[in-house]
Amino acid sequence: MQELKTLRYTEEGQVARVELLRDTINMRMVRELTAVCDHLEDESEATIVVFTGAGDDFCRGIDFRDFRPDQPVDIHGFNKWEKACVRIERLPKVTVAAMQGEVRGGGLQLALVCDVRIASPDAVFQLPEVKSGFLPGMATFRLAKYVGLGRAKRLIMQCPEFDAHKAVALGLIDEVAYDLDEGVQAAIDNFLPVHPVVVQLARRLLNESYATDFENAIGNFLAAQHRAVTQTAFLETLKRARQEDGGGD
Amino acid sequence: MPERPRILSVGTAHPPDRYTQDDILERFHTDSPAVKALYKASHIHARYLYLPEPGPDGRPHETMSELLHKHRQGALYMGERAIRRCLEPLGLGPRDVDYLVVTNSTAFMLPGLTAMFIRHFGFREDVHRTDVVGMGCNAGLNALNPVAGWAAANPGRNALMVCCEVNSALYIDDDSIGNAVVNSLFGDGCSAILVRADPGDAERLAPRILGFNSHIIPEAWAAMHYRWSEEHGRFGFILDRDVPYVLGTHAEFPVRRLLDAFGLKKRHIKHWIIHSGGKKVIDAIKYTVGITEHDVRHTVGCLRDYGNLGSGAFLFAYERLVREGTVRRGDYGVMMTMGPGTTIETALLRW
């Protein structure tokens, strides 16, 4: 992997950790997130990836210093960010966002592409973009699926700040953890054992469920299910079931 | 390193008459709810076919010799158009073609379609020719492999590959669900590409053919096959219902080998040009190869608009991709066809 300056990447057993070393997102961080995805897909044996902030805050959104007010805004930078988010959303791993302090803008967008979101009680959340004159990325696409359309409109258009308990009540995050490390460990334990192919298929079908009609969804499901049941994990399950039965019919 | 062959042009053609699934059900007075449901669930909207007038009982009655005549006429009609549409944009005509390869699986002919096309369309008498017959839906890539090899060995010379299938000349009409599956799926179509290895073409936005990878599943040899019907005195096509799942189990292997050979990952592939085998087949490929609905948009679109065209189908999808105008220099693409054998064929392209 290339040298990382905005992220710290570590791997211990099945768990990879991606710490955000900056509290705002710049283009370098977007590139490095993509490089981390390359590594996770191509080389890493990890089955779980935890995204966390290195400092007091998880992430406060994009770094406006990347932009020059006297020059036209480069829309492709936004596209690169979205591509990095999709890469994370489709990783063949379980992804966990462990958040503390400020979780704003792009930070919250990043959390939305993870499979589970855990925050410490001090965390504050906000999608402030619209009041700053731009859009909160593809949170415009994902948020309503977590919280419902009405709440999504309020969160995106009124830009309120809210705390971790409120975030749980909204369905935006899964849990408040008084000890974030313990909370993350508990979440990891809850996911084990991780069968990467099956996890990826389940998540893909869930993500597609809002945009696919039933006729297409059932076809997709059968194709995915066939792939799942030809993996070793399911064959092992069948073998175990047989042994527990004493091998009889 | 010698110049890699490029696909310089593509042309397609289909019969003049277009039928929606409902048109076909009505035309042949199909009452069976199961068959009607099958047609509706095919994810095919319309097909271009050579259909006979219904007999007094509302069913088609074509003799074997009528089917063979139809095949010949259909191949001439579509072949002439597909070849012309492929060659004209390059300022070429049949006389400029040095190597002619035709794939076909919908009738047995001797001499084959290459000889018929040469006789009717004015190819040179010294044109090299090869008929690739009986290989089914995957044949386009089985043929492209030697076409690319010939082009690489004969720099600057023109190889024309034509994939021509008259599926409406091969069917059995009875009340079985098996035949209804086949009869609801296939359409008639012909596509042609011109392949040439010439440094002079370097400026064109035309993909180089970098390599191939094949995968055959011998234990599934009977999943798709022609079977002689004593009752009807002709061949019918057997399509096992497990075909999508057999293909799904194996599709990732040739793709992985193809990409590994070039040090590429799936994410480097911008364009997927996949045979429109049927909705379930496309679904299986999507979830096993791990590609998106967007990646298969032209495959799905061609299935919707033409049905399964057999060996030439993937070139209809290729033509749509080219016309879409989204391809950029340097992009990688994977072509993938699957069919009897059971087999999956792949090719790697780079624009």
Side-chain angles (χ1 to χ4, degrees):
Chain A
M1 196 168 19
Q2 67 182 77
E3 189 199 353
L4 299 177
K5 288 201 170 142
T6 66
L7 305 173
R8 183 184 299 126
Y9 179 85
T10 53
E11 229 176 275
E12 199 180 323
Q14 283 198 59
V15 181
R17 277 175 205 279
V18 182
E19 283 178 84
L20 313 179
L21 298 179
R22 297 170 50 93
D23 60 5
T24 55
I25 301 161
N26 62 3
M27 281 320 296
R28 179 162 187 126
M29 185 184 273
V30 175
R31 280 196 302 275
E32 291 186 359
L33 280 170
T34 307
V36 164
C37 286
D38 289 351
H39 174 77
L40 284 165
E41 282 178 15
D42 299 345
E43 290 160 58
S44 170
E45 297 288 319
T47 56
I48 293 165
V49 189
V50 180
F51 290 90
T52 181
D56 294 336
D57 300 315
F58 179 68
C59 175
R60 298 189 296 116
I62 61 172
D63 188 345
F64 290 114
R65 289 173 305 179
D66 257 16
F67 298 89
R68 300 255 318 258
D70 55 342
Q71 285 182 2
V73 175
D74 178 15
I75 189 71
H76 302 293
F78 291 102
N79 194 19
K80 285 188 179 121
W81 163 248
E82 295 303 336
K83 282 186 172 164
C85 285
V86 169
R87 290 288 300 281
I88 295 166
E89 191 171 40
R90 295 179 185 170
L91 280 174
K93 324 272 177 191
V94 164
T95 49
V96 179
M99 298 168 279
Q100 75 284 21
E102 293 186 36
V103 185
R104 297 187 206 274
L108 187 46
Q109 293 173 38
L110 176 61
L112 289 179
V113 297
C114 290
D115 295 321
V116 69
R117 284 150 297 284
I118 300 165
S120 58
D122 72 310
V124 289
F125 299 85
Q126 190 188 22
L127 287 170
E129 287 91 340
V130 164
K131 289 204 175 175
S132 306
F134 67 117
L135 299 170
M138 286 295 276
T140 50
F141 180 78
R142 296 187 178 96
L143 182 64
K145 293 165 188 170
Y146 288 98
V147 304
L149 185 59
R151 286 163 166 174
K153 281 184 176 170
R154 196 168 64 76
L155 296 182
I156 286 179
M157 296 166 74
Q158 298 179 6
C159 312
E161 185 180 290
F162 50 97
D163 66 18
H165 292 285
K166 183 71 191 282
V168 171
L170 284 166
L172 189 70
I173 71 169
D174 298 282
E175 202 183 330
V176 177
Y178 287 86
D179 182 320
L180 196 54
D181 290 335
E182 280 179 19
V184 167
Q185 191 55 51
I188 290 171
D189 293 343
N190 286 339
F191 274 115
L192 297 175
V194 175
H195 305 304
V197 170
V198 186
V199 160
Q200 207 179 6
L201 290 169
R203 178 213 283 139
R204 179 170 172 184
L205 292 175
L206 285 165
N207 280 338
E208 289 173 351
S209 66
Y210 286 82
T212 312
D213 61 40
F214 185 81
E215 286 309 316
N216 280 300
I218 187 82
N220 291 345
F221 156 72
L222 285 171
Q225 180 74 306
H226 178 260
R227 178 155 164 79
V229 299
T230 52
Q231 302 289 309
T232 26
F234 186 67
L235 301 178
E236 294 294 324
T237 301
L238 293 184
K239 273 190 214 155
R240 267 199 313 280
R242 218 142 226 274
Q243 280 159 7
E244 283 160 19
D245 265 4
D249 289 324
Chain B
M1 190 170 162
E3 188 69 18
R4 296 300 309 168
R6 290 182 172 82
I7 302 174
L8 295 182
S9 180
V10 59
T12 63
H14 52 68
D17 295 328
R18 177 177 177 274
Y19 302 92
T20 65
Q21 296 289 64
D22 283 341
D23 291 339
I24 297 166
L25 290 170
E26 275 173 37
R27 185 181 182 94
F28 297 116
H29 306 284
T30 308
D31 303 320
S32 159
V35 172
K36 281 184 175 172
L38 202 65
Y39 272 67
K40 307 251 186 225
S42 62
H43 293 261
I44 295 167
H45 182 61
R47 292 177 285 159
Y48 294 86
L49 296 162
Y50 292 104
L51 291 185
E53 290 301 322
D57 60 349
R59 308 295 282 264
H61 293 281
E62 288 176 291
T63 65
M64 193 65 223
S65 65
E66 283 169 341
L67 289 176
L68 290 172
H69 178 73
K70 175 162 90 174
H71 185 272
R72 194 186 158 89
Q73 295 308 114
L76 280 174
Y77 178 92
M78 296 192 291
E80 189 274 326
R81 285 163 175 77
I83 291 168
R84 179 162 40 81
R85 288 165 189 165
C86 172
L87 295 180
E88 266 182 5
L90 299 170
L92 301 176
R95 294 198 65 77
D96 300 307
V97 172
D98 302 295
Y99 184 35
L100 174 65
V101 177
V102 179
T103 70
N104 175 260
S105 295
T106 45
F108 182 68
M109 294 173 65
L110 193 152
L113 283 178
T114 54
M116 194 171 86
F117 287 172
I118 289 166
R119 175 177 152 87
H120 285 272
F121 305 152
F123 289 92
R124 292 197 318 269
E125 61 189 17
D126 66 341
V127 66
H128 301 288
R129 65 188 180 102
T130 303
D131 285 274
V132 175
V133 299
M135 293 198 77
C137 295
N138 46 277
L141 286 178
N142 299 86
L144 186 59
N145 194 339
V147 165
W150 186 92
N154 296 276
R157 300 182 71 190
N158 296 317
L160 179 69
M161 180 177 92
V162 184
C163 302
C164 186
E165 308 288 1
V166 187
N167 282 296
S168 59
L170 194 141
Y171 67 92
I172 288 176
D173 181 63
D174 60 13
D175 294 324
S176 75
I177 289 295
N179 281 322
V181 169
V182 173
N183 296 343
S184 69
L185 178 61
F186 290 98
D188 299 343
C190 179
S191 47
I193 53 174
L194 191 100
V195 176
R196 183 168 69 200
D198 188 339
D201 296 321
E203 293 305 307
R204 295 177 191 268
L205 186 60
R208 282 170 296 152
I209 303 163
L210 299 184
F212 295 86
N213 201 280
S214 301
H215 188 89
I216 188 156
I217 311 148
E219 63 270 26
W221 70 274
M224 286 162 270
H225 68 281
Y226 283 170
R227 185 160 69 194
W228 183 260
S229 164
E230 283 297 350
E231 184 192 346
H232 297 93
R234 66 182 60 168
F235 280 112
F237 186 52
I238 306 297
L239 186 58
D240 191 277
R241 67 174 192 163
D242 283 339
V243 163
Y245 304 114
V246 171
L247 293 172
T249 307
H250 294 84
E252 62 181 317
F253 304 131
V255 172
R256 194 183 301 157
R257 288 193 301 261
L258 181 74
L259 299 188
D260 281 353
F262 291 88
L264 297 173
K265 302 288 176 189
K266 222 168 43 201
R267 62 174 176 275
H268 298 126
I269 304 305
K270 283 267 178 18
H271 311 290
W272 295 85
I273 301 132
I274 299 176
H275 169 56
S276 306
K279 182 60 168 55
K280 285 182 180 173
V281 170
I282 300 168
D283 286 344
I285 301 296
K286 244 168 48 188
Y287 285 86
T288 49
V289 178
I291 54 178
T292 65
E293 191 63 33
H294 180 74
D295 291 327
V296 297
R297 65 197 179 282
H298 298 307
T299 301
V300 170
C302 285
L303 181 73
R304 183 190 59 226
D305 298 338
Y306 302 108
N308 178 342
L309 297 176
S311 63
F314 77 115
L315 294 177
F316 277 73
Y318 172 77
E319 184 183 46
R320 286 191 175 192
L321 173 68
V322 170
R323 289 203 177 149
E324 188 184 59
T326 52
V327 171
R328 295 287 171 267
R329 198 170 289 279
D331 285 0
Y332 285 100
V334 166
M335 289 181 149
M336 186 177 202
T337 60
M338 42 283 180
T342 292
T343 187
I344 301 160
E345 300 292 339
T346 61
L348 182 67
L349 306 180
R350 189 170 199 197
W351 272 268

